[in-house]
Amino acid sequence: MIRSQEKGLYLALLSVSTTLFIIALGPGFFGGSSTFSLHWEYDVFRILCHQDPARSYSLDGVTMAVCSRCIGIYGAFALGVLLMPVSARFFSIRNSITKKILLSILLLNFADVLINAIGIWTNTLHSRLLLGILLGYSAALLLTSGFFKKQEQEISYG
Amino acid sequence: MDDQLQETPNYWNSVFIGAFIVAIATTIVGLIMLYYLAGAEPSMSMMIMSGLLVPVTCLVGMFGGIIAVRHYAKTFDITFKMGTGALIGLFTGIAAALISGILGQLWNMIDPALMDNFSNNMISAFENMDMPAAQREETISRMMENMEAQKAIGGIIKGVLINAVVLGVVNAISGMIGAKIFAAPDEE
């Protein structure tokens, strides 16, 4: 049985993370033209992402408002928040484990950036997306136990 | 009642520490990028930057909530709920946007030519782009309008407000993550 807590905060988080993901998809999602940097979606993420077109995916021929790593983070986080009740039902998620998972994936992302900069490894749109997805989902997984808890079912006899 | 109020230590010191770190980091990275773009050859290649600088700009703005919550939890050696972490992160993001806006304006006074050089270079880059002449003219015209609008007081306030909302929201999320990492009770 799943016990939910902090329902208001969960619904706020779900709304905010979904909205961020939709805006991050860029003008293409809203039928905008391909003119780079003149849309409000780019303004929203300007302080958070480099928005380099060469390192970003396009939607409907229009560059997204964030890079491939960031779209992975926002998308996977929103999906992870949406799936929190399901994740809590099927997995017994301990805070200490999810903390280690998140930290490991964060370090993996930094290592990817550093090794790519040095020139030992060349990351791609897809590899950055994958690392972003792992980071976003692990962040959502860490928060899951704060919102939903698995409870032992009461067993009745007779 | 008074005892209950005294149980929760003041978190504003932690909020401002997190906000200052984020504001200074985003301002420095933003200025480096502006100087790079303002000084580069006016071509499409100048928009395609490589190396360490580009990737590090991502996520810098998100860490304020985690920094502030960690500072708060460690300073007072307390545990608290994710909602408190979200609140601390929200205030941290808003404060970071305000501080970053002030720092940006101060730098405009120190080097007023920077934004003009940046604007001219961006326009030159679009003039060299392979696109229909009418579309190019429209794009350049809209870009010039945007840049003029951003220089006006209304444009500056609009920019700070957008950043306050965005940084507030993402740092509220990172504040919740920070609360789970640094302030969750052991049994959780």
Side-chain angles (χ1 to χ4, degrees):
Chain A
M1 186 181 169
I2 300 297
R3 177 168 62 87
S4 65
Q5 50 195 10
E6 309 248 27
K7 276 184 188 169
L9 192 60
Y10 173 71
L11 290 175
L13 182 64
L14 184 60
S15 318
V16 161
S17 57
T18 307
T19 305
L20 277 176
F21 174 58
I22 289 170
I23 298 171
L25 289 172
F29 185 80
F30 301 96
S33 68
S34 61
T35 310
F36 177 65
S37 85
L38 297 178
H39 293 277
W40 62 271
E41 295 89 343
Y42 297 111
D43 288 335
V44 169
F45 288 99
R46 189 153 287 150
I47 201 164
L48 286 172
C49 181
H50 55 72
Q51 302 177 316
D52 183 349
R55 301 171 75 91
S56 309
Y57 284 104
S58 294
L59 183 64
D60 204 16
V62 186
T63 308
M64 289 183 182
V66 293
C67 69
S68 59
R69 191 187 307 272
C70 287
I71 197 69
I73 295 171
Y74 292 117
F77 184 75
L79 186 67
V81 172
L82 184 68
L83 293 177
M84 274 181 185
V86 182
S87 303
R89 185 178 294 274
F90 290 105
F91 305 109
S92 185
I93 306 162
R94 289 189 64 83
N95 206 23
S96 56
I97 296 169
T98 47
K99 264 197 259 186
K100 284 173 189 163
I101 293 172
L102 179 64
L103 186 64
S104 307
I105 293 169
L106 192 62
L107 290 174
L108 196 62
N109 271 272
F110 280 121
D112 174 58
V113 170
L114 196 64
I115 294 169
N116 181 69
I118 294 167
I120 297 171
W121 139 268
T122 306
N123 59 29
T124 64
L125 271 179
H126 300 325
S127 72
R128 292 192 296 270
L129 174 74
L130 180 66
L131 287 174
I133 286 172
L134 290 174
L135 187 58
Y137 194 77
S138 61
L141 210 58
L142 175 72
L143 296 178
T144 300
S145 66
F147 292 111
F148 299 96
K149 275 205 167 73
K150 202 173 188 175
Q151 281 188 323
E152 294 301 320
Q153 282 188 326
E154 287 181 16
I155 302 168
S156 57
Y157 296 96
Chain B
M1 182 68 181
D2 281 347
D3 287 345
Q4 276 183 328
L5 286 174
Q6 283 168 5
E7 276 174 15
T8 308
N10 190 310
Y11 48 67
W12 287 103
N13 197 25
S14 306
V15 164
F16 284 115
I17 286 171
F20 265 109
I21 291 171
V22 168
I24 288 168
T26 52
T27 303
I28 288 173
V29 172
L31 282 174
I32 291 171
M33 288 184 75
L34 270 178
Y35 274 104
Y36 178 86
L37 291 171
E41 285 296 310
S43 65
M44 267 310 283
S45 64
M46 80 178 204
M47 297 181 189
I48 303 168
M49 294 160 289
S50 59
L52 200 58
L53 177 65
V54 169
V56 296
T57 60
C58 267
L59 308 178
V60 167
M62 289 185 186
F63 278 95
I66 293 179
I67 294 166
V69 164
R70 185 188 182 278
H71 182 268
Y72 182 57
K74 299 293 174 192
T75 302
F76 298 104
D77 194 23
I78 50 173
T79 61
F80 46 85
K81 288 186 171 182
M82 288 191 304
T84 306
L87 201 62
I88 292 172
L90 177 73
F91 291 140
T92 303
I94 292 170
L98 294 175
I99 296 166
S100 180
I102 292 166
L103 290 176
Q105 289 313 305
L106 284 175
W107 199 263
N108 276 348
M109 283 188 235
I110 293 168
D111 186 1
L114 174 64
M115 284 311 291
D116 288 337
N117 291 343
F118 170 73
S119 307
N120 293 337
N121 236 12
M122 290 300 284
I123 289 164
S124 300
F126 271 96
E127 280 171 349
N128 294 335
M129 273 178 77
D130 186 24
M131 61 165 66
Q135 192 188 346
R136 185 188 302 127
E137 290 306 313
E138 192 199 335
T139 304
I140 291 171
S141 167
R142 284 181 62 187
M143 183 179 271
M144 287 171 80
E145 279 174 25
N146 272 8
M147 286 173 174
E148 284 303 315
Q150 281 172 14
K151 285 182 192 169
I153 293 287
I156 294 165
I157 293 171
K158 184 185 159 197
V160 170
L161 283 177
I162 290 174
N163 287 344
V165 171
V166 175
L167 284 181
V169 165
V170 295
N171 281 291
I173 295 172
S174 75
M176 289 165 68
I177 292 169
K180 284 291 284 179
I181 295 173
F182 302 112
D186 286 341
E187 68 271 15
E188 213 180 316

